[in-house]
């Protein structure tokens, strides 16, 4: 998706399914990225979206997330290596005022995707593990584990955590004010049978 899933989008899902709406931390809802959602909450939202639209949605794999973030760049960030430019592309510790901000207020990467750096950490599909040795094309994470991958950094973190290649992980049951997600629209229903949903 062009942006992280917002409270406005997630709240429709919560209302339709009878779930409790996650806390906004007092920062507001609407067009701000949804926070206080676990990995399973994100997966359940994608499954609900499939039923509502007939299209196929899921969380991106870690490799897909980084590919989309970079948008063809091999630099530290989607726009290059100059950390001073990060203010134009991201909400992070130096400009966020210690809270999330509505999606889409910062510059997009070369593929039109916004907030790939900062605002909220984004859940990915993969279990966390060290990278395997050797070169791989579009790798998937291990089949099991105890932590899920997070990417992108958040409003609370510094420039290093916002690099395109930076990796973080968490217990998939965790939900807090740093964690959100982005849905990936996919053409293939076969992914549902491949362990994605």
């Amino acid at each position: 998706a062009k942006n992280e899933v917002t409270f406005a989008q997630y709240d429709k899902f919560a209302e339709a399914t009878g779930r409790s709406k996650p806390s906004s931390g007092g920062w507001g809802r609407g067009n701000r990225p949804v926070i206080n959602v676990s990995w399973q909450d994100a997966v359940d939202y994608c499954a609900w979206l499939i039923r509502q639209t007939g299209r196929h949605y899921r969380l991106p794999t870690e490799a897909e997330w980084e590919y989309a973030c970079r948008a063809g760049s091999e630099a530290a960030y989607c726009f290059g290596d100059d950390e001073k430019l990060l203010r134009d592309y991201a909400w992070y510790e130096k400009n966020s005022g210690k809270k999330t901000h509505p999606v889409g207020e910062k510059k997009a990467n070369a593929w039109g995707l916004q907030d790939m750096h900062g605002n909220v950490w984004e859940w990915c599909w993969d279990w966390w593990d060290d990278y395997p040795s050797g070169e791989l094309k579009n790798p998937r994470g291990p089949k099991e584990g105890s932590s899920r991958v997070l990417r992108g950094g958040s409003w609370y973190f510094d420039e290093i955590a916002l690099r395109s290649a930076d990796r973080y992980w968490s217990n998939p049951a965790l939900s807090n004010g740093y964690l959100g997600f982005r849905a990936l629209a996919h053409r293939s229903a076969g992914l549902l049978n491949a362990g994605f949903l």
Side-chain angles (χ1 to χ4, degrees), residues 127-172:
W127 290 108
W128 165 268
D129 201 357
D130 291 333
Y131 283 141
S133 60
E135 190 172 319
L136 298 172
K137 183 177 179 179
N138 196 20
R140 298 255 299 275
K143 294 188 186 300
E144 56 186 25
S146 59
S147 298
R148 294 285 185 172
V149 174
L150 292 159
R151 287 303 205 103
S154 83
W155 56 269
Y156 182 79
F157 286 76
D158 65 11
E159 298 90 340
I160 293 172
L162 274 66
R163 292 175 304 120
S164 300
D166 198 63
R167 309 173 73 215
Y168 202 61
W169 65 94
S170 177
N171 180 319

Side-chain angles (χ1 to χ4, degrees), residues 36-196:
N36 293 305
V37 289
S38 68
W39 179 87
Q40 190 63 56
D41 292 333
V43 169
D44 291 348
Y45 173 85
C46 291
W48 173 80
L49 203 55
I50 291 169
R51 292 191 300 273
Q52 300 308 302
T53 66
R55 296 184 66 199
H56 303 287
Y57 293 91
R58 60 175 172 82
L59 295 179
T61 65
E62 183 178 14
E64 289 167 338
W65 189 96
E66 186 170 331
Y67 180 77
C69 178
R70 288 183 176 283
S73 170
E74 294 185 10
Y77 306 98
C78 69
F79 53 83
D81 291 317
D82 187 352
E83 289 181 358
K84 290 188 224 81
L85 297 178
L86 198 54
R87 291 179 177 270
D88 297 331
Y89 290 84
W91 295 111
Y92 66 116
E93 76 165 353
K94 289 189 174 159
N95 67 355
S96 70
K98 299 184 179 177
K99 60 185 177 182
T100 63
H101 289 262
V103 301
E105 292 186 339
K106 295 295 186 177
K107 286 184 178 179
N109 70 13
W111 293 349
L113 305 175
Q114 294 173 293
D115 298 305
M116 295 298 293
H117 303 294
N119 219 0
V120 293
W121 284 103
E122 298 179 16
W123 287 112
C124 291
W125 176 262
D126 296 331
W127 290 108
W128 165 268
D129 201 357
D130 291 333
Y131 283 141
S133 60
E135 190 172 319
L136 298 172
K137 183 177 179 179
N138 196 20
R140 298 255 299 275
K143 294 188 186 300
E144 56 186 25
S146 59
S147 298
R148 294 285 185 172
V149 174
L150 292 159
R151 287 303 205 103
S154 83
W155 56 269
Y156 182 79
F157 286 76
D158 65 11
E159 298 90 340
I160 293 172
L162 274 66
R163 292 175 304 120
S164 300
D166 198 63
R167 309 173 73 215
Y168 202 61
W169 65 94
S170 177
N171 180 319
L174 182 68
S175 61
N176 64 35
Y178 312 129
L179 306 179
F181 68 100
R182 182 181 306 254
L184 171 74
H186 207 282
R187 295 187 196 108
S188 173
L191 292 169
L192 302 180
N193 298 323
F196 276 101

